Amino acid sequence: MTETTVWKRPHILALADFSPAEYDAVLQTTASFREVLSRRTKRVPALQGQVVAILFFEPSTRTRSSFELAAKRLSADTLNFAPGTSSLTKGETILDTAKTYLAMGADIVVVRHQAAGVPATIARALTKLNPKVSILNAGDGQHEHPSQGLLDLFTLCSLLDWESPRLEVLKGKKIAIVGDILHSRVARSNLWSLTAAGAEVHLAAPPTLLPTLFAETFKEARPGKVVLHHELAPALEDADFVMALRLQQERMTQNLLPSLREYHQRYGITRDRLKLCQPEVKVLHPGPVNRGVEISSDLMDDPRLSLIAQQVTNGVAVRMALLYLLGNRNNE
Ligand code: NCD
């Protein structure tokens, strides 16, 4: 963050209304935490004495661990919550659970829930009780996943300019997002951030996973920046980056696909298909991956082409930045 930029946003719930200055503040703060994480002693006292409560009502591996490690690297105290072993099983409501953590002194509450809007509802309820509390959305239903969008943004921007990752380096780049766009909060957050950067986003999926109506919001908000395809080839043509998305079988209530095998044949990202893209193309995937479905197994494991491991590594620095910006807001 530049010396003069002051972080004002009390909660991070979505990227839909992020300003370019906010994106750049996150990118710049992340770069300084990336430096901290490269030291032998990877811990700073920035959030010493603060409490970060991590409330995940839905399964997760990387996002939950990433937030926990980020909070610990900032010297915060962390509280973890797992629905299966909590008082939710005794009938306590989600809001009452969140209020319990607030009463214990939580300064930042990180929330993941299978229903869109839960983090925002918790933010409204807890702010009434304590205006200093911050809520961070770690994924809500099919709505948004802002920390994932920001770590993807950081991964792309720092690949293009390692020393000074900033929004403008993505201007004019072609990025293909391929897969289960209908169910993906990652696609939605990325659509906001990548188009804010001036990139051109090409979405490719079977019609059942990419309804035309879905794209209308983005096409209206960011005219000329979002293009829809129901075939893979035109999306990949000359693309600088390809982001594959997981088929979210747990969210598919109807038969939206003939078979996973057929999906891979038509939309799977393989080395061969990448020949359509720019020679320096790189592939992203937010994980978890259905190996051999969205992306071929050998491509996923090839560090020259795949940014998947870098995304996970950068996730910790990005989440440190987000917790730091929220945690220091009340000191300004
Ligand atoms: C994503 C999620 O949960 O939204 N994963 C993640 O957080 N890295 C994507 C997915 O579940 O497919």
Side-chain angles (χ1 to χ4, degrees):
M1 172 143 44
T2 56
E3 298 304 319
T4 48
T5 319
V6 176
W7 189 265
K8 294 251 169 60
R9 189 180 288 269
H11 313 290
I12 298 175
L13 301 172
L15 298 185
D17 62 347
F18 250 54
S19 69
E22 286 176 306
Y23 284 114
D24 279 332
V26 171
L27 292 171
Q28 220 175 315
T29 311
T30 302
S32 47
F33 285 122
R34 176 181 61 191
E35 192 276 314
V36 169
L37 293 176
S38 71
R39 296 181 198 158
R40 212 167 76 86
T41 306
K42 300 174 171 58
R43 195 186 278 258
V44 287
L47 292 191
Q48 197 146 31
Q50 293 206 36
V51 176
V52 177
I54 303 173
L55 271 55
F56 273 45
F57 298 90
E58 201 193 53
S60 163
T61 303
R62 67 217 83 217
T63 307
R64 171 200 272 280
S65 304
S66 185
F67 268 114
E68 184 170 354
L69 188 56
K72 288 186 163 144
R73 296 287 197 220
L74 294 169
S75 308
D77 295 313
T78 54
L79 294 172
N80 259 296
F81 160 90
T85 54
S86 76
S87 290
L88 276 187
T89 60
K90 301 178 184 171
E92 186 169 67
T93 68
I94 295 167
L95 268 184
D96 286 334
T97 303
K99 284 177 189 169
T100 304
Y101 282 94
L102 184 70
M104 241 176 266
D107 298 283
I108 303 176
V109 183
V110 182
V111 183
R112 167 172 287 196
H113 198 278
Q114 57 275 19
V118 168
T121 306
I122 292 180
R124 275 193 298 275
L126 297 196
T127 302
K128 275 188 204 147
L129 299 170
N130 179 352
K132 287 193 168 172
V133 72
S134 286
I135 312 301
L136 222 159
N137 177 9
D140 63 331
Q142 299 173 26
H143 174 226
E144 280 225 37
H145 191 348
S147 67
Q148 181 71 42
L150 292 167
L151 79 86
D152 293 338
L153 185 71
F154 182 80
T155 303
L156 295 173
C157 293
S158 61
L159 195 75
L160 296 167
D161 189 338
W162 175 265
E163 288 302 323
S164 171
R166 60 199 185 283
L167 209 54
E168 67 178 27
V169 299
L170 271 178
K171 195 164 185 200
K173 298 287 176 194
K174 175 171 175 178
I175 302 170
I177 302 184
V178 182
D180 186 354
I181 291 159
L182 172 68
H183 297 107
S184 179
R185 51 197 177 207
V186 176
R188 286 166 177 79
S189 289
N190 267 293
L191 270 159
W192 291 121
S193 55
L194 299 175
T195 52
E200 223 180 72
V201 183
H202 289 249
L203 303 171
T208 45
L209 297 179
L210 176 51
T212 328
L213 199 64
F214 164 87
E216 288 311 313
T217 323
F218 295 100
K219 281 179 142 181
E220 262 172 43
R222 305 279 159 80
K225 292 288 169 215
V226 182
V227 186
L228 258 65
H229 305 275
H230 291 137
E231 295 299 328
L232 185 57
L236 294 189
E237 228 162 37
D238 295 324
D240 297 283
F241 298 103
V242 179
M243 182 181 294
L245 296 174
R246 183 175 68 92
L247 288 177
Q248 302 202 7
Q249 296 177 73
E250 76 279 18
R251 294 193 214 278
M252 291 191 194
T253 48
Q254 315 135 35
N255 294 327
L256 297 174
L257 289 169
S259 74
L260 294 183
R261 204 168 139 263
E262 187 182 322
Y263 176 86
H264 183 69
Q265 275 170 3
R266 288 196 61 196
Y267 296 96
I269 308 298
T270 60
R271 258 174 226 285
D272 212 35
R273 289 200 162 129
L274 289 184
K275 290 185 185 139
L276 291 169
C277 307
Q278 292 286 349
E280 296 291 296
V281 68
K282 298 276 183 282
V283 178
L284 299 97
H285 192 304
V289 177
N290 294 306
R291 264 187 191 266
V293 179
E294 300 96 49
I295 178 169
S296 64
S297 202
D298 64 314
L299 179 56
M300 180 179 166
D301 295 332
D302 184 344
R304 284 164 307 176
L305 287 167
S306 158
L307 296 175
I308 298 175
Q310 280 187 44
Q311 287 172 275
V312 176
T313 303
N314 289 335
V316 179
V318 166
R319 293 180 173 112
M320 284 174 82
L322 301 180
L323 294 170
Y324 172 84
L325 291 169
L326 292 175
N328 281 286
R329 171 178 72 94
N330 294 317
N331 301 338
E332 300 296 344

